[in-house]
Amino acid sequence: MTTELDDELLSMEVIDNGNKVIAGSQSGALYSWNWDGWKESRRKWLGHPSSVDAMCKLDEQVICTGGNDGLLRMITVLPQYGFEGILGDHGEDFPIECIKLDHKQKYLASCGHDLKLKFWNIEFLFKGDNSKKEKRKWIVIDDDKNKEKYATPRFTKHTMNKFDPEDTNLDGILANNKKWAEEVMKEDPAFLKNIALKQQPKILWIGCSDSRVPANVVTSLPPGEVFVHRNIANVVTHADLNCLSVLQYAVEVLKVEHIIVCGHYNCGGVTAALGHQQYGLIDNWLRSIKDVYRLYKDELEAIQDEEKRLYRLIELNAINSAKNVCHSTIVQNAWERGQKLTVHAWAFNIETGIAKRLEWMAKDRNKVDPIYITTE
């Protein structure tokens, strides 16, 4: 039996007590199959931000992946895909070649292009009592004296609170902030002190100001990992000095390697642009989205279902903004210098919590035209 894919597979594991095969690809997609139905049971997940060069099973539902960005990611596969956090980091430009878990489920070993064998203490993952979980630390084995560092705290585990409208002085928010800081300090005393010294994000997120689409929550990344610009309907125009200033700082100073323009379904800004009602000052801002509709009028008006037409306009708006990012002199000059930089267009589904790649991305000035990716 042969299963052909339009993608290069780089890693593989057997999970779910031997019932499923999961494979990672060069594009970053994760594929899974049931043993008893290769064609019918294939699933594809596009949420991995880098190639999946190596893979290791942590249990029957969870895997660890190693990418060409040097990060070890913990990913839940069953019952549905989802990021759980970062387990380790080999550093910039050091792809991970191999990952293994010891039989006592205490250390994860990984090696990569940095010529180092690293052991990560992940014993806390297999302990039932959360209050007694050990701080995550990893030990580097190389020519230098052994060093110990703490891994990134899992901010997703902290309790999310509901805002009390009667809290007019915002005392509750300050109390929640204090509790959050205490939990982070307890988990990793050095984390906040380290990120206070400098930021080294690899991602610039250009998203919508909508309160339901926070960048760090969607990407499941902690503070210090994502540089963010947000506005109504994630619009990028060449006249917006605010957005361009953020873009220039991210590309030229922070040296980000990925720019994600992320739209989202149920976007009020795009919905307003699709109609004919006047809203005041914001109508001038929404004009660019109406221009996107005009550019793709034939495609959009061929869609009979109103919701599907709206969703498609949301996607095309994100793609158009991503193209404008690429055509900016900031990104053009970065590519001319040979800077490593990829521009992505995504769409986030609030109802499912899943972000997906759209059918466009660019890695250099010669590939600003669409690169089509199969999405499911």
Side-chain angles (χ1 to χ4, degrees):
M1 177 70 186
T2 301
T3 300
E4 294 186 1
L5 299 173
D6 195 17
D7 201 353
E8 181 182 358
L9 299 183
L10 304 176
S11 55
M12 183 180 69
E13 269 289 2
V14 178
I15 60 171
D16 192 23
N17 297 307
N19 292 315
K20 289 186 180 292
V21 175
I22 183 166
S25 71
Q26 176 67 38
S27 71
L30 287 170
Y31 299 86
S32 62
W33 295 266
N34 294 333
W35 279 109
D36 56 354
W38 297 104
K39 289 186 177 180
E40 294 77 10
S41 65
R42 192 191 86 179
R43 293 174 61 201
K44 181 180 180 181
W45 184 57
L46 296 168
H48 201 281
S50 69
S51 65
V52 188
D53 296 45
M55 187 184 299
C56 176
K57 179 173 71 175
L58 299 181
D59 63 24
E60 300 304 326
Q61 296 179 316
V62 181
I63 62 171
C64 176
T65 64
N68 60 8
D69 56 3
L71 294 178
L72 290 166
R73 294 178 172 85
M74 180 178 169
I75 297 176
T76 296
V77 179
L78 297 173
Q80 62 183 12
Y81 287 104
F83 280 120
E84 298 297 335
I86 304 296
L87 295 179
D89 185 357
H90 273 254
E92 182 180 356
D93 297 327
F94 292 123
I96 297 171
E97 293 286 315
C98 184
I99 315 169
K100 295 293 182 181
L101 178 66
D102 79 307
H103 69 286
K104 293 183 179 180
Q105 295 184 318
K106 182 174 182 180
Y107 286 103
L108 196 68
S110 61
C111 59
H113 288 199
D114 55 355
L115 307 180
K116 295 181 178 70
L117 173 62
K118 297 186 178 183
F119 293 88
W120 314 81
N121 188 334
I122 61 168
E123 188 177 18
F124 69 95
L125 293 174
F126 302 96
K127 290 185 176 182
D129 185 358
N130 289 340
S131 65
K132 296 180 180 179
K133 284 184 179 179
E134 296 180 359
K135 290 177 291 186
R136 287 192 261 183
K137 63 181 180 180
W138 53 269
I139 302 172
V140 181
I141 307 299
D142 57 21
D143 293 336
D144 301 326
K145 184 178 180 180
N146 289 355
K147 298 171 287 185
E148 293 190 1
K149 294 184 180 179
Y150 294 105
T152 303
R154 288 194 300 166
F155 286 83
T156 53
K157 82 173 188 179
H158 298 290
T159 303
M160 304 301 287
N161 300 285
K162 188 78 173 177
F163 174 65
D164 180 4
E166 297 183 4
D167 183 15
T168 56
N169 292 325
L170 305 184
D171 294 330
I173 291 181
L174 291 174
N176 292 336
N177 167 255
K178 184 178 180 180
K179 182 180 179 181
W180 170 83
E182 290 173 349
E183 291 177 350
V184 173
M185 293 293 288
K186 182 178 179 180
E187 186 175 348
D188 183 352
F191 180 76
L192 294 177
K193 183 180 293 186
N194 288 337
I195 67 170
L197 298 176
K198 62 179 178 179
Q199 60 170 328
Q200 294 179 309
K202 298 301 180 186
I203 297 171
L204 167 61
W205 174 279
I206 300 177
C208 182
S209 298
D210 194 300
S211 62
R212 302 165 294 176
V213 196
N216 286 79
V217 175
V218 172
T219 57
S220 188
L221 292 173
E225 297 291 334
V226 186
F227 197 61
V228 177
H229 174 78
R230 297 170 71 179
N231 60 45
I232 300 296
N234 46 272
V235 170
V236 177
T237 70
H238 300 298
D240 184 359
L241 296 182
N242 186 349
C243 181
L244 293 177
S245 296
V246 171
L247 180 62
Q248 181 179 23
Y249 187 81
V251 172
E252 297 181 4
V253 179
L254 297 177
K255 306 293 185 183
V256 298
E257 296 181 1
H258 298 275
I259 300 172
I260 301 171
V261 179
C262 187
H264 69 94
Y265 303 120
N266 304 98
C267 179
V270 178
T271 302
L274 191 58
H276 300 288
Q277 183 177 346
Q278 291 188 8
Y279 296 92
L281 179 64
I282 195 174
D283 293 330
N284 298 282
W285 183 259
L286 300 179
R287 180 71 256 171
S288 63
I289 305 176
K290 291 181 179 290
D291 289 340
V292 174
Y293 186 95
R294 178 176 54 80
L295 289 172
Y296 297 94
K297 182 178 180 179
D298 292 342
E299 176 186 347
L300 290 167
E301 295 191 350
I303 302 173
Q304 300 300 316
D305 185 278
E306 291 185 4
E307 183 179 68
K308 290 182 179 179
R309 185 187 306 131
L310 171 62
Y311 279 18
R312 184 53 181 160
L313 179 57
I314 288 167
E315 294 174 348
L316 291 171
N317 179 58
I319 292 171
N320 184 72
S321 289
K323 288 182 178 180
N324 286 342
V325 168
C326 291
H327 288 296
S328 70
T329 56
I330 299 164
V331 172
Q332 288 287 308
N333 292 339
W335 281 335
E336 180 68 23
R337 294 191 300 268
Q339 189 169 331
K340 182 180 179 182
L341 184 62
T342 304
V343 181
H344 309 259
W346 286 10
F348 176 68
N349 189 325
I350 298 174
E351 294 181 11
T352 64
I354 301 298
K356 74 171 184 178
R357 298 181 192 175
L358 301 179
E359 65 272 23
W360 191 94
M361 69 176 181
K363 294 185 177 182
D364 59 60
R365 64 189 309 171
N366 297 318
K367 296 181 180 178
V368 174
D369 289 331
I371 298 174
Y372 289 96
I373 304 170
T374 302
T375 57
E376 296 183 357

